[in-house]
Amino acid sequence: MTQQITSTGLDEAVKQSPRKWVYLFSEGNAKMRELLGGKGAGVSEMTNAGLPVPPGFTITTEACNAYYDSNKQFPQGMWEQALAALKIVEEKTGKGFGAKNNPLLVSVRSGAKFSMPGMMDTVLNLGINDETVQGLVALTGDERFAYDAYRRFIQMFSKIVLDTDPRDFEHLLEQYKEHAHVATDAEIPAADLKQLVSDFKQIAERQSGEPFPTDVHQQLQKAIEAVFSSWNNKRAFDYRDFNKIPHSLGTAVNVQTMVFGNMGTDSGTGVAFTRNPSTGEKVLYGEYLLNAQGEDVVAGIRTPSKISRLQDDMPHVYEQFQQIAQKLEQHYRDMQDLEFTVEKGQLYMLQTRSAKRNAQAAVKVAVDMVAEGLISEEEAVRRVEPSQVYQLLLPRFDDEEKKKASKEGRLLAKGLNASPGAAAGKAVFDADTAAEQGKAGIAVVLVRPETSPDDVHGMLVAKGILTARGGATSHAAVVARGLGLPCVAGTEGIRVNEHEHLLRVVDSGFVLKEGEDISIDGATGEVFAGIIKTVEADFNKEVDLKKLLSWADKFRTLGVWANADYPRDAQRAVTFGAQGIGLCRTEHMFMEQERLPIVQQMILAKTTEERQAALDKLLPVQRSDFKGIFEAMIDPQTGEGYPVVIRLIDPPLHEFLPSYEELLVDVTRMETQGGHEAELAEKRKMLEAVGSMREANPMLGLRGCRLGLLFPEINIMQTRAILEAVEELEKEGKTLHPKIMIPLVGHVNELKEVRRQLEAVAHEIDQRFGRTIEHKFGTMIELPRAALTADQIAPVADFFSFGTNDLTQTTFGYSRDDAEGKFLLKYIDGLEEPGMKDKVKILPVNPFQTLDRDGVGQLVRMAVEKGRKANPSIELGICGEHGGDPDSIEFCHMVGLDYVSCSPFRVPIARLAAAQAALSHTERDR
């Protein structure tokens, strides 16, 4: 009856508002993440499941967006709904908000649709003042607890809501501990805490310029405003940018009855995961602190105990928590991140959400849950991020190198292995320096006493994170795992001096200063001075990953090929699961030292005969090159070869010659010094040749098919080498599928003429061997005109391969090297404009890394449609960097390409991304 009466008050408030802005926990559910945020949806689901959740309510993400739309004013009716919901919480708990007797204290927490650990703000113990604190004392009989809650509230509210400098509070707290001769906050006597509350208020008033608010409703209003405002703080904005989370979602605000973990040794607080977030092992993993509040665990100020010890400290609580954890994982069918508090032996659940996990854990959990019957193979494929596959295959420290470093005394300390991986770079002791150096391309390891959410901009660009304090569920560890960064936390063997920018090893006194090399192993927790060499990950040992990718292969429709210029690259690509070679660049073969002089002879030849003589020397070398590639791409079981696309020579010839500037310096010096006449003559000859080939814009000059048209004997030699290599292997019973790609075609007549020349070579070789050697000729679509006239080019081509690196350059009018060095990164990060608070972003992402769908993508789509209409049997693929980018792969699936081709190391990523694209668009089509 009480519930019905009190709910009516909220219903009335809703009727008088344009929208329902507030939901009681009992009104929400797990499917309302977009409206209630992950935290609100999670506590609602737990409430409805009958779990022990302190009562509360959620203010929606829509209210947050309306707050911004109204120039940071609460939307009409929101505050009235919040007060009505608060009344219901009062009646459910039997407590009164602001009451002198039995006062209700609440927490005010953020909670967006996607988890953003530590990026937004929280206020605990709200509702306490000089009067209600006496009510807490009377209620609990524990003066120390009451004033500890009070000082915590003033400290947190001042930082979060009043925007004061937290260092003054921390410094004073340290002074009080020293005066009381105690080591931890929990040991400060009640009398000292009383005085500390008074001193804290003075600091808050001095810094903010206004008395500390004692009206509990004013406290609540200001706290809600602060949480809404934290949606757009710098760290949250940077985190969303990095993780590609839309800025338009907004955050919900959760107002929940406080339960207290700082009421003595029968109370505590903790964070736990239903499985190990670093390894994926099916074991309860987490940490807790006795006589503490939630921020003590995640802030890393005190090093907590492992969750397994709770079994000794509070056996009945541990057993209940285990059961709840298992129930929640079964319910959500995913690994959960749980927050809990124990008050006087009573367990309360404060949060459940899908747990952040590193790459190894993500893959293992997905595969294990299929085996356990919790999820399907399709769902497992959807759950693992392609970036996690990349992280899983990153290099690791060489064990022998680590042993050597240990013997040399370079093993400095060992901390908690909070997030696995190998990281090495310059030690940096503040986030601003890390951000500055990281963006400049310097490898840095961020070293902090403990990290805070304000450090996130430095964490985003660091190679790894090292902290002196904190546990495996501290802010540093949680964020590092989410970012896929190696992290060593709670390294108690070091002392970090952030003011002097150095760390000191406790046992030895060794000092490592900013800018010196440091290596951290997130898998073992080891910290080394200097750089430790790394070794490549062994794909064949990644059993779970191989199983997951075998499932992915069932769902994808795009082929996944690889770019490989040498047999070793081709073999690696096959190991990673490539089904062909989409780009073999022959110019890389020309650059090898033993053949470069022959290439230069060919380039410097004065006559066709001289050039042909040099090409005759190159022919057997190129034939051997191509034979090696083909052999690497033959299935040993069937003798069937995977398709191999070989691009004829593309760059301008002067790239194979010495630098004009360096030659000019050499000639000038030799002329000045005298002597060495023969060498000087050779240098002059080379300088003249290089000078005659110089171009104002080589990228758009004499290269690609243009070079082949002016010097057809080069293309002829390469085609002969390809087909003769095929013929040799086919004599051995192998079946091959060579594809010869003619680059930089802008007009159909270019392709017609080059193909005519090369078909003549193929016919001649067929005649010589008495049979037809299978082959295909195609072109790379890398110029806008080629895309626009694809219907004219397609009838002359057996395949198109989209060279989107050059197509991006020619569409945007950017020279990639110049753009990335001069302005492109500023376009992406944002331009500083005088008088404007926010940076002006010109581009959302680097178009050389992620395909520009609106511009370059339209040309690709047009070429696909026109090409297929003119030649229904034409094969279409993409090569270059975009072939390994998940967003670009999705676009390739959408426009109907046959395959993507990427670097060998990105083949596993492409296999997963292609499957996810197929599954995503199949679902949309239903």
Side-chain angles (χ1 to χ4, degrees):
M1 189 66 178
T2 303
Q3 175 65 40
Q4 186 179 358
I5 293 169
T6 51
S7 293
T8 302
L10 178 56
D11 292 341
E12 285 301 318
V14 171
K15 285 178 183 177
Q16 296 172 26
S17 306
R19 182 174 298 177
K20 184 172 173 63
W21 303 112
V22 174
Y23 287 78
L24 296 168
F25 290 166
S26 57
E27 295 180 299
N29 59 60
K31 295 178 180 178
M32 298 172 71
R33 288 175 59 87
E34 193 152 339
L35 185 66
L36 303 181
K39 193 185 297 286
V43 291
S44 290
E45 192 77 0
M46 288 194 296
T47 297
N48 293 326
L51 299 183
V53 178
F57 58 89
T58 301
I59 303 171
T60 66
T61 56
E62 290 178 346
C64 176
N65 287 326
Y67 172 77
Y68 280 104
D69 292 343
S70 305
N71 197 25
K72 293 197 168 184
Q73 298 293 317
F74 287 161
Q76 181 188 341
M78 189 210 87
W79 180 243
E80 289 74 16
Q81 290 182 34
L83 292 178
L86 189 61
K87 282 287 182 190
I88 297 171
V89 174
E90 287 180 318
E91 297 200 19
K92 282 185 175 181
T93 60
K95 299 176 183 286
F97 190 57
K100 294 179 184 178
N101 300 315
N102 200 10
L104 171 68
L105 270 57
V106 297
S107 62
V108 181
R109 299 171 182 259
S110 60
K113 177 182 179 182
F114 299 107
S115 175
M116 296 169 54
M119 296 305 110
M120 294 179 290
D121 290 334
T122 291
V123 179
L124 303 180
N125 303 313
L126 190 142
I128 199 167
N129 57 26
D130 290 344
E131 293 183 341
T132 57
V133 73
Q134 295 304 324
L136 274 183
V137 174
L139 186 67
T140 63
D142 189 341
E143 189 176 52
R144 197 211 162 275
F145 152 72
Y147 278 94
D148 183 49
Y150 200 179
R151 73 89 188 165
R152 286 172 180 271
F153 170 66
I154 297 169
Q155 189 173 357
M156 184 175 276
F157 190 90
S158 298
K159 177 187 175 184
I160 300 301
V161 181
L162 304 181
D163 197 26
T164 60
D165 187 339
R167 290 176 296 184
D168 287 356
F169 295 92
E170 292 160 4
H171 180 65
L172 185 60
L173 187 62
E174 289 300 318
Q175 286 182 341
Y176 266 80
K177 284 193 285 188
E178 287 177 19
H179 178 264
H181 305 291
V182 298
T184 66
D185 305 353
E187 297 171 283
I188 300 174
D192 288 3
L193 286 172
K194 273 186 175 182
Q195 184 57 45
L196 187 58
V197 163
S198 177
D199 291 347
F200 270 9
K201 283 185 187 176
Q202 290 177 25
I203 294 175
E205 184 170 347
R206 185 174 68 247
Q207 286 201 29
S208 67
E210 57 185 58
F212 189 85
T214 57
D215 181 292
V216 294
H217 290 93
Q218 185 186 15
Q219 291 174 0
L220 180 59
Q221 182 176 341
K222 285 180 174 290
I224 294 169
E225 288 174 346
V227 173
F228 277 161
S229 295
S230 71
W231 172 253
N232 275 337
N233 67 36
K234 185 180 186 306
R235 62 180 184 265
F237 206 90
D238 289 345
Y239 187 88
R240 291 197 299 273
D241 266 351
F242 186 86
N243 290 283
K244 297 181 180 176
I245 297 172
H247 296 296
S248 58
L249 294 176
T251 181
V253 179
N254 299 284
V255 180
Q256 187 171 23
T257 304
M258 278 295 301
V259 285
F260 300 98
N262 57 330
M263 293 188 73
T265 55
D266 61 350
S267 302
T269 187
V271 176
F273 299 84
T274 54
R275 302 188 188 215
N276 188 315
S278 292
T279 66
E281 183 186 1
K282 191 178 181 182
V283 60
L284 201 57
Y285 177 96
E287 296 168 327
Y288 72 101
L289 282 168
L290 292 178
N291 198 19
Q293 287 199 330
E295 76 268 21
D296 298 335
V297 179
V298 296
I301 296 166
R302 290 166 59 188
T303 300
S305 300
K306 291 184 178 179
I307 194 74
S308 56
R309 272 196 59 185
L310 187 62
Q311 194 166 11
D312 299 324
D313 290 336
M314 301 180 189
H316 66 288
V317 170
Y318 182 77
E319 184 179 351
Q320 184 187 6
F321 182 70
Q322 265 195 322
Q323 291 171 355
I324 289 173
Q326 186 175 0
K327 182 177 181 180
L328 286 170
E329 185 177 271
Q330 293 282 333
H331 179 73
Y332 282 99
R333 298 182 309 111
D334 195 10
M335 173 180 158
Q336 294 297 291
D337 172 359
L338 309 170
E339 289 183 20
F340 66 94
T341 287
V342 181
E343 179 183 291
K344 294 288 186 183
Q346 173 67 47
L347 174 66
Y348 293 95
M349 300 301 300
L350 305 182
Q351 174 175 281
T352 186
R353 63 184 175 189
S354 177
K356 295 284 183 185
R357 64 207 78 174
N358 70 1
Q360 181 182 342
V363 172
K364 179 170 175 54
V365 168
V367 171
D368 285 355
M369 284 189 168
V370 172
E372 294 163 20
L374 277 179
I375 62 175
S376 65
E377 292 178 359
E378 177 180 325
E379 197 164 356
V381 168
R382 289 177 184 272
R383 281 194 182 176
V384 178
E385 294 290 329
S387 60
Q388 291 174 319
V389 174
Y390 170 74
Q391 291 158 17
L392 197 55
L393 297 175
L394 287 174
R396 293 135 194 219
F397 286 140
D398 186 323
D399 286 337
E400 292 304 313
E401 287 292 320
K402 289 205 301 181
K403 289 177 185 175
K404 180 181 174 185
S406 297
K407 288 179 181 177
E408 293 170 351
R410 291 197 286 128
L411 176 59
L412 303 183
K414 191 168 183 180
L416 295 170
N417 51 339
S419 181
K426 304 294 181 187
V428 170
F429 292 84
D430 69 274
D432 290 340
T433 304
E436 180 184 338
Q437 294 191 9
K439 287 179 180 177
I442 300 169
V444 298
V445 174
L446 180 60
V447 184
R448 301 286 290 147
E450 70 270 338
T451 64
S452 76
D454 291 330
D455 292 323
V456 72
H457 59 296
M459 299 170 77
L460 291 173
V461 297
K463 297 297 182 185
I465 300 158
L466 170 65
T467 68
R469 298 194 291 268
T473 56
S474 63
H475 172 267
V478 172
V479 173
R481 281 194 292 269
L483 297 175
L485 290 176
C487 176
V488 176
T491 316
E492 296 182 350
I494 64 172
R495 297 289 180 269
V496 175
N497 189 323
E498 53 188 315
H499 303 296
E500 295 183 20
H501 295 264
L502 57 84
L503 71 79
R504 181 174 280 104
V505 180
V506 175
D507 291 341
S508 67
F510 176 87
V511 172
L512 190 136
K513 298 177 181 177
E514 185 157 287
E516 295 180 342
D517 290 330
I518 188 171
S519 299
I520 63 170
D521 190 334
T524 63
E526 294 166 306
V527 180
F528 296 89
I531 302 294
I532 304 292
K533 289 182 182 176
T534 57
V535 293
E536 289 180 7
D538 187 345
F539 180 73
N540 286 322
K541 290 182 179 178
E542 300 294 342
V543 178
D544 287 332
L545 177 59
K546 291 180 76 172
K547 183 174 286 188
L548 181 80
L549 292 177
S550 71
W551 297 338
D553 292 340
K554 297 178 187 177
F555 301 117
R556 63 181 169 88
T557 55
L558 273 172
V560 177
W561 299 8
N563 305 334
D565 304 331
Y566 302 101
R568 63 178 180 272
D569 297 332
Q571 187 56 59
R572 182 178 289 123
V574 172
T575 300
F576 284 136
Q579 301 163 291
I581 298 298
L583 177 63
C584 175
R585 291 161 286 224
T586 54
E587 59 269 13
H588 288 183
M589 302 169 182
F590 283 2
M591 291 290 190
E592 293 190 15
Q593 288 304 308
E594 71 275 7
R595 61 189 72 175
L596 190 58
I598 306 173
V599 175
Q600 291 176 347
Q601 287 175 24
M602 180 265 293
I603 294 169
L604 298 173
K606 297 290 186 184
T607 65
T608 302
E609 289 74 20
E610 288 179 10
R611 183 173 296 108
Q612 189 59 55
L615 288 168
D616 288 345
K617 294 179 186 176
L618 284 173
L619 175 62
V621 178
Q622 282 268 271
R623 186 192 305 126
S624 175
D625 290 334
F626 298 136
K627 187 175 179 182
I629 292 278
F630 288 135
E631 284 178 319
M633 296 305 293
I634 293 172
D635 185 326
Q637 303 298 321
T638 65
E640 182 83 12
Y642 293 110
V644 177
V645 178
I646 298 173
R647 184 179 71 185
L648 301 178
I649 189 168
D650 183 39
L653 293 179
H654 72 78
E655 288 196 10
F656 301 100
L657 299 176
S659 158
Y660 179 83
E661 289 74 14
E662 290 176 9
L663 282 171
L664 186 59
V665 169
D666 288 346
V667 169
T668 304
R669 188 185 68 251
M670 294 173 73
E671 287 175 342
T672 303
Q673 293 174 347
H676 306 287
E677 292 301 321
E679 185 182 354
L680 177 59
E682 283 297 317
K683 292 272 188 183
R684 282 174 175 157
K685 180 181 176 184
M686 183 68 79
L687 180 65
E688 181 183 356
V690 174
S692 69
M693 295 181 183
R694 292 181 84 199
E695 296 175 295
N697 190 346
M699 194 194 86
L700 299 177
L702 183 59
R703 53 169 285 220
C705 68
R706 305 159 193 169
L707 187 64
L709 286 166
L710 267 63
F711 304 102
E713 53 271 19
I714 300 175
N715 280 352
I716 288 170
M717 180 277 291
Q718 290 194 301
T719 301
R720 191 181 301 279
I722 292 167
L723 296 180
E724 287 179 356
V726 172
E727 196 277 336
E728 286 184 16
L729 288 169
E730 288 193 344
K731 277 183 180 177
E732 301 172 12
K734 308 294 192 292
T735 304
L736 302 181
H737 304 284
K739 301 172 189 291
I740 300 170
M741 183 155 66
I742 298 157
L744 211 73
V745 165
H747 195 287
V748 63
N749 288 343
E750 292 173 317
L751 181 60
K752 281 181 178 177
E753 179 54 22
V754 174
R755 179 160 188 170
R756 184 195 65 76
Q757 295 169 356
L758 302 185
E759 287 285 17
V761 176
H763 181 70
E764 175 205 319
I765 293 172
D766 288 347
Q767 292 292 102
R768 192 188 337 153
F769 292 116
R771 60 187 182 79
T772 300
I773 296 173
E774 181 197 332
H775 64 273
K776 289 183 178 180
F777 285 106
T779 187
M780 186 178 274
I781 303 294
E782 52 194 321
L783 296 173
R785 193 182 190 282
L788 292 167
T789 60
D791 52 340
Q792 299 173 28
I793 297 173
V796 190
D798 299 317
F799 65 90
F800 283 170
S801 180
F802 290 94
T804 48
N805 293 346
D806 273 2
L807 188 58
T808 298
Q809 292 195 92
T810 51
T811 302
F812 273 95
Y814 293 165
S815 159
R816 181 173 186 176
D817 291 342
D818 293 323
E820 290 187 332
K822 295 288 194 304
F823 65 87
L824 188 56
L825 298 184
K826 292 179 182 176
Y827 270 27
I828 298 160
D829 292 338
L831 301 170
E832 303 276 4
E833 291 286 342
M836 292 189 68
K837 180 182 176 182
D838 298 324
K839 290 182 178 180
V840 178
K841 296 188 74 166
I842 306 299
L843 294 174
V845 293
N846 186 335
F848 292 105
Q849 294 175 354
T850 298
L851 189 73
D852 163 45
R853 296 190 183 193
D854 294 338
V856 179
Q858 292 304 308
L859 289 171
V860 172
R861 187 186 295 274
M862 182 187 304
V864 168
E865 292 171 355
K866 286 190 167 192
R868 280 239 166 88
K869 189 173 182 180
N871 180 358
S873 64
I874 196 167
E875 190 174 67
L876 303 171
I878 186 174
C879 59
E881 197 166 334
H882 294 118
D885 170 65
D887 185 84
S888 307
I889 290 169
E890 182 191 36
F891 178 79
C892 293
H893 172 88
M894 290 166 62
V895 298
L897 296 192
D898 296 306
Y899 67 87
V900 296
S901 186
C902 55
S903 72
F905 285 105
R906 296 195 73 85
V907 165
I909 299 166
R911 289 167 66 189
L912 182 61
Q916 290 178 346
L919 290 171
S920 173
H921 288 274
T922 300
E923 187 175 85
R924 289 177 202 174
D925 294 341
R926 286 173 185 160

